[in-house]
Amino acid sequence: MANFSDFNLGIYLSGLSGVKPPFPVTYEGMAAAAAEKLDPVLLDYVAGGAGDEYTQNGNSEAFRRWGIYPRMLAGAAERDLTIELFGRTYPTPLFMAPIGVVGIMHESQHGDIEVARAAAASGVPAVISTLMQDPMEDVAAELGDTPGFYQLYTPNDRELAESFVRRAEAAGYAGIVVTLDTWSLGWRPRDLQHAAMPQLQGKCLANYFSDPVFRSRLEKSPEEDPGTATIAWALTFGSPALSWDDLPWLRGLTDLPLLLKGICHPDDVRRAKDGGVDGIYCSNHGGRQAASAPAIDFLPGVVAAADEMPVLFDSGVRSGVDVVKALALGATAVGIGRPYGWGITVGGAAGAHHMLQCLLAEADLTMGLNGYRTIAELTTESLVRTP
Ligand SMILES: Cc1cc2nc3c(=O)[nH]c(=O)nc-3n(C[C@H](O)[C@H](O)[C@H](O)COP(=O)(O)O)c2cc1C
């Protein structure tokens, strides 16, 4: 069986013919390359976070407070990084978290399509945001054999929410991820300073503008009067009224696996479980919404409360080593946001695929050299707290 670390060897072998890697091999390198290409206002929108950005920086730094115990003579020459999720086997424990502006992060302005192509090429599933440049059906058509998940920002128009879910089912998405932490936009000083927000400029609203329910609410079509359609979007986005009492309605929307994104407290896990959800998605939105604590610090409590239920995790993952630590702390699958987003900017689907290959090769080597053959062998006992 091939190891993901073979990617490593491939780079050295290409080097013998003078060929260097087509893209940077680290998160920092990819972020720097993207910074050279992106419009500065959009760059700030993606790179920035809530408040003083202490939470988003802490997300990444907190991984360094964990170390991995090396185990010797463990026979880990061949690794198995497959995971089981909702009755399917995935070749890797990674997934791409939803990025609502990824559509405009690529020069083609079809970044969502590039993400779907990266998923098809890598086998790494993508969670596709409600906020897309291309309608969800067009994106699903590019996913190849890799399942995709649809992320719902629940609009305050319930018929519209139902329409989005029906469309996602018809387009073949494998699950619905409801994001709970963004019923209002966080305090984001970088964006406030620019007084700019992509969606209010009419960008990444293709799912709304193509939706029969949304269109039925307008006097003039979005093509005729995009300004009024954009205001209509702003009025329907977000759902301050959503509460635990609405969970039966959300659950009743679909028979597909239903996950709640943004759950960080064990009591919320228990309520979600009682409400019949299929998976928990532990995340603090990459530190973009509200100041909290490093997301990885929430993971052990969430995993314990979830018991047998799958737990997806994201926020602050920047390397293959971080992926291994999140798995050891109990994540079923580990999500990345900005790392693949920068890859899309730098090289479209190929750039994101490259970033995924780098993370997987590093995770695979970190496991193998430290003596862990399978993800099941990674537990909290594999980790040591470092000052
Ligand atoms: C520019 C940007 C846009 C995002 N848009 C969405 C979105 O539309 N829906 C959502 O649930 N999360 C969204 N997120 C949050 C990500 O899904 C994910 O939780 C976060 O990026 C993970 O942190 P990381 O960037 O440190 O890896 C967005 C993140 C970024 C950076």
Side-chain angles (χ1 to χ4, degrees):
M1 196 179 82
N3 287 316
F4 286 106
S5 63
D6 294 349
F7 178 70
N8 200 34
L9 285 179
I11 290 181
Y12 289 125
L13 289 177
S14 302
L16 294 176
S17 339
V19 178
K20 296 262 173 66
F23 306 107
V25 298
T26 61
Y27 170 80
E28 291 74 16
M30 197 67 99
E36 293 198 355
K37 280 188 101 169
L38 269 190
D39 160 72
V41 175
L42 181 56
L43 176 66
D44 267 344
Y45 181 82
V46 179
D52 59 7
E53 300 185 352
Y54 177 83
T55 301
Q56 77 170 32
N57 295 333
N59 280 343
S60 308
E61 284 157 15
F63 279 96
R64 304 209 166 142
R65 286 194 263 110
W66 292 102
I68 304 167
Y69 269 117
R71 303 300 306 271
M72 294 299 116
L73 301 175
E78 284 187 2
R79 275 81 62 191
D80 177 359
L81 268 68
T82 57
I83 60 160
E84 302 289 322
L85 193 60
F86 308 127
R88 290 183 205 238
T89 303
Y90 290 83
T92 91
L94 279 188
F95 69 93
M96 289 181 268
I99 293 186
V101 294
V102 78
I104 55 171
M105 286 177 70
H106 187 245
E107 58 204 356
S108 67
Q109 302 294 294
H110 294 286
D112 303 290
I113 300 278
E114 296 294 319
V115 172
R117 289 178 181 158
S122 62
V124 173
V127 183
I128 308 287
S129 171
T130 298
L131 298 166
M132 294 183 216
Q133 274 289 93
D134 286 286
M136 63 176 101
E137 292 82 0
D138 296 4
V139 175
E142 300 286 337
L143 286 167
D145 294 333
T146 307
F149 290 78
Y150 175 71
Q151 178 263 320
L152 178 71
Y153 275 135
T154 317
N156 55 28
D157 177 338
R158 289 201 167 193
E159 275 181 43
L160 179 58
E162 287 170 21
S163 179
F164 282 159
V165 173
R166 290 291 88 74
R167 288 172 60 190
E169 289 173 335
Y173 287 93
I176 305 289
V177 172
V178 182
T179 298
L180 301 176
D181 58 20
T182 311
W183 49 268
S184 178
L185 208 61
W187 175 256
R188 298 184 187 162
R190 294 203 213 192
D191 303 339
L192 291 164
Q193 210 61 58
H194 295 302
M197 186 188 164
Q199 292 82 11
L200 276 180
Q201 295 153 1
K203 295 183 179 142
C204 308
L205 300 181
N207 280 329
Y208 296 82
F209 290 1
S210 61
D211 192 275
V213 173
F214 183 81
R215 294 175 75 92
S216 74
R217 309 290 193 242
L218 303 171
E219 276 179 27
K220 287 187 185 164
S221 74
E223 297 76 38
E224 286 172 297
D225 186 355
T228 304
T230 302
I231 300 293
W233 165 78
L235 293 175
T236 191
F237 186 81
S239 47
L242 217 57
S243 77
W244 286 108
D245 293 340
D246 298 303
L247 185 52
W249 167 72
L250 277 174
R251 174 66 278 185
L253 283 178
T254 184
D255 291 332
L256 286 175
L258 180 74
L259 295 97
L260 299 184
K261 180 170 187 267
I263 299 274
C264 295
H265 196 287
D267 286 346
D268 288 348
V269 176
R270 285 184 272 273
R271 294 195 82 158
K273 215 170 153 189
D274 290 347
V277 308
D278 302 287
I280 297 295
Y281 189 151
C282 175
S283 162
N284 65 11
H285 212 106
R288 296 168 63 77
Q289 276 300 95
S292 60
I296 193 71
D297 290 348
F298 298 130
L299 184 59
V302 165
V303 167
D307 198 14
E308 295 291 302
M309 200 162 50
V311 174
L312 277 63
F313 171 82
D314 78 25
S315 295
V317 176
R318 297 290 175 262
S319 69
V321 179
D322 296 345
V323 173
V324 173
K325 291 175 185 174
L327 292 170
L329 289 169
T332 314
V334 181
I336 53 163
R338 295 175 183 93
Y340 87 84
W342 300 136
I344 290 289
T345 297
V346 175
H353 186 198
H354 175 88
M355 190 79 257
L356 291 166
Q357 285 177 301
C358 291
L359 292 171
L360 285 167
E362 191 189 15
D364 182 40
L365 273 175
T366 304
M367 281 176 63
L369 293 174
N370 279 324
Y372 303 94
R373 205 186 63 76
T374 64
I375 291 172
E377 288 175 13
L378 288 170
T379 67
T380 49
E381 304 284 299
S382 322
L383 298 182
V384 59
R385 262 302 201 193
T386 57

